[in-house]
Amino acid sequence: MKLIHHISYRMLIALTLVLSVWAAFFYTAIMDEVNDEVDDSLEDYADIIIRRSLGGDELPQDKNTNNQYYLTLISASEAAATPIISYKDSMVYIQEKKETEPARVLDIVYRDSLDRYLKLTVLTPAIEKHDLIEELRNWLLFLYATLLVVLIGCNVWLFKKSLKPFYTLMRWIDRYKLGSSHEPLNNHTNVTEFKRLNEAVIRSFERNEKLFEKQKQFIGDVSHEVQTPLAITIGRLEMLMEDETMNERQLEELYKAHRDLEYLTNLNKSLLLLAKIDNSQFTDLKLINMGELLSQYLPDYQEIYSLKEIDVKVEKKSDFTVYMSETLASVLLTNLLKNSFVHTPEHGAIHINIDQNSIVFSNTAEEGALDGDKIFRRFYKREGKGSSSGLGLAIAMSISKQYNLRLSYSYQSGFHRFRLERI
Amino acid sequence: MKILVVEDEPSLREIIRTSLLKEKHIVETADTYRSALLKIEDYDYDCILLDIMLPDGNGLELLKQIKSLKKRANVIIVSAKDSLDDKVDGLNLGADDYLAKPFHLAELNARIRSVARRNNYEGNDFISLGNVRLFPESREVFVGESALDLGRKEYDLLYYFINTPERLINKYSLAELVWGDHIDQADSFDFIYAQIKNLRKKLKAAGSDYEIKAVYGIGYKFVKGNSSE
């Protein structure tokens, strides 16, 4: 969810709550005020009638007002049971209009000069509350909609306007790739927070860059330094192995030591290669036709793996050419090729499909799908593949990245598919 | 052959020397640019093994000196840098071969032989051992008078064997030969074994004097065939 959506959504909820509560208060306040006014006028009217009735004057026969009154004679006990003054809302039949309408009713109990208890009921038609509520609701809805549109509009505008440096920064971070060249951050702003954010991001990236450099340097240095002692030790073992006085058991032990050192040597070579790829130290760039390069290596592999009787099919729709280092192109293709041959079971099949933008290696899978995330990691080894350094695919991935190629794995109906394509 | 080993690392120098002495070469060593230059100026060598990184100078500079002195020694560059630029520069400057550290002693011996053969036996465009003849130019192999039909990798293996007869070559250096560098070495030995088996069969069927002998589980030797067999 985008931040602006998030904010708008929250505002919608908040606004609904606030306006509902406000509408309730508003309604109550208005009704109170209206009732108050009506009650006052009823009271005045009742006063006149009571005064006149006590004074023996003629009671008003006013046809011009909507006000009505009744005088009822009640017993003393009844009078004692009813409050002297009481207001209520009720539905009343209005004779003039010949219909039932809501009315405000005032009952007053008083005693006349003859010591009789009289109840005066004064009533006046009241406001139609339903109408009022409906009207109120309509206007509130209108207000709500208007407020919403205006507020959200303002918000979006303010948001876009004031968060511009933030989005610029975000785009820059998205484009940023550790260890490769990048454009400087051009993000001028007067807002302190954004200024500090810019600075913090740049500072942190510079630190990462330095660490990355150091790490690369370290791997390169170590691999390099390790080479000579390795060469010497291996040489000594080889000389010892040529000694005719050695018996088989001794030779066996020497061979094992030699084997492990060889493994170390290969590992070291691969690490050095990775370091060199990441440092872009290969400069023999030219336009490489992948299909042609492949056809140089394929016969060797078919020969070496002839024992497995693998069915190899190459389908070439058009040329796939990449401008890259020839050395690395060879390493890339041979690693993928070897990977296919090694992991194809006997009598399996390898299909290589080449088109204008990709080359796909598919091979019969021994078991199910592989973990697509893990297989490209350094030192990832599947069980039972002990002598592998687990760097072959990592190297292939590193080379692909260097030349803006995408190397991906998928599993499809019993086939592992390694797809190398132009991005 | 008289060989000069220019290498600053004492331990490596000693191993190379010992290994070359075994091959009945005459070996001289130099540990610095200066001492190497003095030796090159004063003596003639058949082959010079040249380390590129020397404490007081660059091996490539030394190579230029060798060429300007019109010495006819074969030069094999040995470098720990394994960098393509060095290789290209070295070969352009007239080096005969390039070997990246770390290397197998068997490989070094094979390279020295191959380089020496290439330059010293002009007119003879083949390598022979017993009745096996190998033509590097055309990649053809003859046993006696009959041609041997070999796969590419089988040929490479035979080329290696024929240049290092009677010496133990371990499986790893063969694997490296077959696979080249920078490739994961998973289960490569089964295939080395299969390749050698084929090559062996073909040599035997053609009646070769030399045969490939397995040495316990660790490697192979190219030796004169046992007449009692």
Side-chain angles (χ1 to χ4, degrees), chain A residues 224 227-228 231-232 235-236 238-239 241-242 244 248 251 255 258-259 262 265-266 269 273 276 283-284 300-301 303-305 307-308 327 331 334-335 338 342 387-392, chain B residues 9 11-12 14-15 18-19 22 53 80-85 101-102 104-105 151-154 167-168 170-172 176 178-179 181-187 191 194-195 216 218 221:
Chain A
H224 200 241
Q227 257 178 341
T228 308
I232 293 164
R236 286 197 190 283
E238 280 177 4
M239 277 199 329
M241 272 149 74
E242 283 182 44
E244 300 288 341
E248 185 174 352
L251 270 176
Y255 170 71
H258 184 267
R259 187 186 57 198
E262 283 292 347
T265 307
N266 276 318
K269 271 189 194 167
L273 177 71
K276 274 168 140 189
T283 48
D284 54 336
D300 289 353
Y301 285 84
E303 189 190 324
I304 295 165
Y305 283 99
L307 211 68
K308 274 187 166 182
T327 317
V331 175
T334 47
N335 273 322
K338 171 127 194 273
V342 167
S387 61
S388 147
S389 66
L391 284 172
Chain B
E9 167 60 45
S11 207
L12 192 57
E14 182 220 317
I15 290 175
T18 318
S19 171
K22 258 190 173 170
M53 285 200 283
K81 273 167 88 185
D82 190 17
S83 106
L84 199 81
D85 291 343
K101 280 185 205 172
H104 296 275
L105 291 174
R152 273 170 55 111
K153 291 293 168 187
E154 286 169 355
R167 287 196 74 157
L168 173 66
N170 65 63
K171 287 197 287 194
Y172 260 101
E176 219 169 83
V178 170
W179 292 116
D181 279 347
H182 309 317
I183 290 179
D184 236 359
Q185 300 275 324
D187 72 352
F191 299 96
Q195 295 272 307
Y216 307 124
I218 63 174
K221 261 183 183 176

Side-chain angles (χ1 to χ4, degrees), chain B residues 1 11 28 72 86 91 95 104 110 136 144 146 153 189 203 216:
Chain B
M1 255 194 283
S11 207
E28 298 259 336
R72 62 169 194 98
D86 276 356
L91 296 180
H104 296 275
S146 57
K153 291 293 168 187
F189 294 141
L203 283 172
Y216 307 124

Side-chain angles (χ1 to χ4, degrees), chain A residues 1 3-21 141 143-153 155:
Chain A
M1 192 187 243
L3 185 59
I4 183 74
H5 295 159
H6 198 69
I7 289 179
S8 305
Y9 179 65
R10 288 280 165 89
M11 209 157 66
L12 209 99
I13 294 175
L15 212 58
T16 313
L17 274 176
V18 167
L19 280 182
S20 308
V21 171
L141 275 177
L143 181 70
Y144 179 70
T146 319
L147 267 178
L148 209 65
V149 169
V150 169
L151 275 178
I152 287 178
N155 242 322

Side-chain angles (χ1 to χ4, degrees), chain A residues 54-69:
Chain A
L54 288 181
D57 292 337
E58 194 186 346
L59 291 179
Q61 288 294 329
D62 208 343
K63 295 281 179 213
N64 296 333
T65 64
N66 284 325
N67 295 353
Q68 293 180 21
Y69 70 89

